[in-house]
Amino acid sequence: MLAVARCIAVEHDLPMIVLAFLVCALGTVVVTQMFERARSSKAMTCMGWIFLTGVTAGATVWCTHFISMMGYKVNVGARIDPVLTVASLMVVVAGTSIGLWVALAGATTRFAIAGGALVGAAIAAMHFSGMAAYQIDGLVDWRMEYVVASTLLSVALSSAAFVVLCGSRSGRWRLPVGAGLLVACIGSMHFTAMTAMQVEAFAAGETGMESDDKHGLALATALVGMLAMALSITAARIDRRTRADSFRRLRDFAMKDCLTGLLNRSSFNQALEERLAAARKAGTKLALIAIDLDRFKEVNDLHGHKAGDQVLAVLAARLQQQMRSEDLLARLGGDEFVALVELGDRAQLDAPLRRLAAALSAPISLETLTASVGASMGVALYPDDAQTADLLSNNADLAMYRAKREGMQEPCFYDPQLDEFVRRKMELACDLRLAVGRGEFELHYQPQSSVRTGMVVGYEALLRWNHPVLGRVSPTDFIPVAEEHGLMVVIGEWVLRRACADATTWPCSRKVSVNVSPRQLGNPGLSALVEQVLRETGLPPHRLEIELTETAIMQNRERGMDTLRHIQALGVSVALDDFGTGYSSLETMRRFRFDKIKLDRFFISELGDREQALAVVRAVLALGRSMSIPVLAEGIETRNQLDILRREGCEEAQGYLLGRPIPLASLFVHDVARPGLPANAIGSFGPHLVAAT
Ligand code: C2E
Ligand code: MG
Ligand code: MG
């Protein structure tokens, strides 16, 4: 130890030692940073970083060694062999690169120790090959104990450095301690190895290289070493900048809406939670404004999606201009936007709302179009209307739907009395979505009978929903909701399949009537579905009748007529339901030949009380006769109504008097109980009249 200290103090030039130390310290700091980068990279990138780190580490060790050698005071002539010098640099670069690779090859301490040992060995190899290049005009005696000690020191300290650097703990001392151990490794190795060397000059008085030359060479070496480090630092900085850029781009991609640059739904939801928490603490109010464009679909349909995108971008920029920097604005998707404004009291909202409405309704001029889209806006306030983010958004949406429904130019504020009805409808829609899968639907059947003979000629399938909480929900309540939310196609398919399958189990061959909704008729696959269901269930087509309202036909004028013709061509009959309540009845009749007209129960309920009702019934019966289409009267509740219809020559009737809708299981109980009747007499007026009274 003393010998080493003596070697440093007496045999070396102090300024050179200081310069060597600075180069060594700076180099190891760069090396540890780059090694850290290599650790966080994968595959080829990791190999690239290992190589760069190896070059920097090699250059650091090599420069430190040569600057120290320039500070070695020996009074003998000395030359430096260029080939061996370059070889010593190669040895240390290759050795440290391999060592670094080993240290990173596995995540255990063993790999760190092995890699560190290799780096330590490479440093020692560099020293001794470097010394071989330093050819002295004298006798050199190597003290083996110092040679061994220097090598062991190098291996041990380097292993310790890599155990620290590869450690899993991410404390702030890990890199400085690792760098310190590396400096200690390089320094102690060099000076212990220098202590091992005993020089005896061949000729006394030889001074070797001039001191100025040595200083110049040392400075040049330091400069070259630093250049290598600067290159590595630059590479690391470029890499960090590139990574930061791509991270920012990725984050923007995840957080922002690509088209408008506004916040997207998920980042808005997150920000809303944070703002609510802050408002709760500070006791401030927030206003959530739900915005839905009114005529955006028209732009898309008429001018294409590109124009639609441009309109969205223009409107987003306009909205953004109207917002204060502390407010939030987001595009939730499609033509839906949302704004969050902080306010002291509700009156402060008037001006921003007016500005937003003006921005949305002002015409937009693009190259290909000029349009004014307009929007419906709904506002919900925190804490007055809701305390949680979900409820606040929901209430703002409800208010916005009301604005849209009522065609309001002004924003609507959430009003529990007006909006709760819509919320219930939405909840119903949610439950409806699951109802088919949960088996909550059931069909009831209501008889349709011949007025003249009293025989049952068919049964109308009527849908029932057994809601797990609300109990039985009437189809007049849930079918419009299912229609509105596009669920009727799926539900209708279930009804058709169930009704046809049920009808094949009946002990008679009467017709089953299935109601078809406007959306179903609008679905191009309806006729194929009917054909498929008939095939699957084996029900003969003439036993199936579908019922449609005039509204359904008017909503699907051209395609609807074609679909009906296809269905009729299969042999299925088509009835016009609720006749007289829709519009354009005669026009519909002219364009399509129905197999039956079902006169709405509204006219029947007034029969006997009002002369006009009888006049309408007569007119419809006359129309049917003139077109050879049988008429069924709906909603027969009294014997008087039935008598009038019989007198007027109505063909068929349906109503509580003749039989209420009942489940399949109860449908034929009377018939089974009266086995003596002929098949076509099953379910004549008698038993149903008994059942209905
Ligand atoms: P609808 O097709 O006109 O069916 C006749 C409705 O009148 C049934 O109501 C039936 O229970 C009721 N009704 C029958 N006789 C009488 C009577 O004497 N007096 C009174 N007041 N009502 C009578 P329900 O079952 O409530 O169905 C109502 C409507 O819901 C149906 O009117 C139909 O438009 C629709 N609907 C029912 N099931 C389905 C279905 O599976 N698909 C489709 N798309 N609509 C259906
Ligand atoms: Mg019907
Ligand atoms: Mg009807």
Side-chain angles (χ1 to χ4, degrees), residues 29 40 45 56 78 80 129 154 157 173 206 216 254-255 274 317 386 403 444 461 465 479 501 530 602 613 651 683:
V29 168
S40 60
T45 322
T56 315
I80 293 173
S129 54
S154 180
L157 284 170
W173 291 109
E206 281 252 20
M255 308 240 334
E274 287 162 12
H444 282 195
W465 181 20
I479 286 183
V530 171
F602 170 76
E651 282 87 352

Side-chain angles (χ1 to χ4, degrees), residues 34 46-56 93 97 100:
M34 292 175 72
C46 177
M47 292 308 284
W49 281 109
I50 285 177
F51 177 68
L52 268 184
T53 316
V55 171
T56 315
V93 168
S97 297
L100 293 169

Side-chain angles (χ1 to χ4, degrees), residues 446 460 462-464 475-476 479 488 495 515-517 520 547 577-578 601 634-637 655-656 661:
Q446 185 177 32
E460 178 173 6
L462 293 161
L463 187 56
R464 301 290 177 257
T476 43
I479 286 183
M488 215 40 223
V495 171
N515 291 286
V516 168
S517 74
Q520 279 177 277
E547 296 188 6
D577 203 357
D578 302 345
R601 69 165 182 267
E634 295 186 281
I636 314 300
E637 291 184 357
Y656 292 165

Side-chain angles (χ1 to χ4, degrees), residues 469-522:
V469 179
L470 303 172
R472 171 141 320 148
V473 186
S474 161
T476 43
D477 289 335
F478 74 80
I479 286 183
V481 179
E483 260 306 81
E484 202 178 310
H485 289 83
L487 303 168
M488 215 40 223
V489 172
V490 177
I491 297 175
E493 181 174 339
W494 180 88
V495 171
L496 182 68
R497 228 175 261 283
R498 181 78 267 149
C500 291
D502 283 353
T504 58
T505 67
W506 295 350
C508 58
S509 52
R510 293 192 193 109
K511 275 191 169 167
V512 61
S513 293
V514 175
N515 291 286
V516 168
S517 74
R519 281 281 183 113
Q520 279 177 277
L521 184 62

Side-chain angles (χ1 to χ4, degrees), residues 216-291:
L217 202 58
L219 276 174
T221 312
L223 211 67
V224 172
M226 287 197 194
L227 268 178
M229 288 168 217
L231 274 179
S232 301
I233 292 170
T234 311
R237 286 189 70 110
I238 292 172
D239 173 68
R240 189 171 306 165
R241 172 70 59 86
T242 316
R243 280 208 300 166
D245 280 354
S246 43
F247 179 73
R248 205 178 40 249
R249 266 201 299 276
L250 265 178
R251 205 194 47 195
D252 280 0
F253 188 69
M255 308 240 334
K256 293 207 171 156
D257 170 51
C258 306
L259 180 65
T260 59
L262 300 180
L263 296 179
N264 63 16
R265 185 185 288 274
S266 69
S267 49
F268 177 78
N269 286 345
Q270 199 181 330
L272 175 61
E273 293 282 3
E274 287 162 12
R275 295 289 172 105
L276 275 178
R280 210 166 286 138
K281 250 193 194 160
T284 47
K285 275 184 192 291
L286 292 174
L288 190 76
I289 308 163
I291 303 166

Side-chain angles (χ1 to χ4, degrees), residues 111-316:
F111 281 93
I113 292 174
L118 277 171
V119 172
I123 293 171
M126 186 268 129
H127 181 91
F128 293 113
S129 54
M131 289 314 292
Y134 193 76
Q135 291 166 356
I136 293 172
D137 294 336
L139 259 181
V140 178
D141 179 30
W142 289 96
R143 290 191 281 174
M144 278 324 280
E145 65 276 24
Y146 284 97
V147 171
V148 172
S150 68
T151 308
L152 287 180
L153 259 177
S154 180
V155 168
L157 284 170
S158 172
S159 294
F162 279 90
V163 168
V164 173
L165 289 173
C166 295
S168 54
R169 272 190 232 133
S170 54
R172 63 197 178 104
W173 291 109
R174 189 169 56 84
L175 295 189
V177 170
L181 282 166
L182 277 180
V183 172
C185 159
I186 298 166
S188 62
M189 190 285 138
H190 180 84
F191 290 111
T192 313
M194 289 307 286
T195 312
M197 196 169 79
Q198 300 270 289
V199 179
E200 206 175 301
F202 288 141
E206 281 252 20
T207 52
M209 217 185 281
E210 285 301 321
S211 172
D212 281 354
D213 293 349
K214 282 185 174 180
H215 286 174
L217 202 58
L219 276 174
T221 312
L223 211 67
V224 172
M226 287 197 194
L227 268 178
M229 288 168 217
L231 274 179
S232 301
I233 292 170
T234 311
R237 286 189 70 110
I238 292 172
D239 173 68
R240 189 171 306 165
R241 172 70 59 86
T242 316
R243 280 208 300 166
D245 280 354
S246 43
F247 179 73
R248 205 178 40 249
R249 266 201 299 276
L250 265 178
R251 205 194 47 195
D252 280 0
F253 188 69
M255 308 240 334
K256 293 207 171 156
D257 170 51
C258 306
L259 180 65
T260 59
L262 300 180
L263 296 179
N264 63 16
R265 185 185 288 274
S266 69
S267 49
F268 177 78
N269 286 345
Q270 199 181 330
L272 175 61
E273 293 282 3
E274 287 162 12
R275 295 289 172 105
L276 275 178
R280 210 166 286 138
K281 250 193 194 160
T284 47
K285 275 184 192 291
L286 292 174
L288 190 76
I289 308 163
I291 303 166
D292 193 277
L293 304 186
D294 287 337
R295 291 174 296 277
F296 178 67
K297 193 173 174 313
E298 278 170 35
V299 174
N300 252 350
D301 290 351
L302 294 176
H303 303 281
H305 287 273
K306 199 170 157 218
D309 286 355
Q310 285 172 331
V311 166
L312 286 174
V314 169
L315 287 177

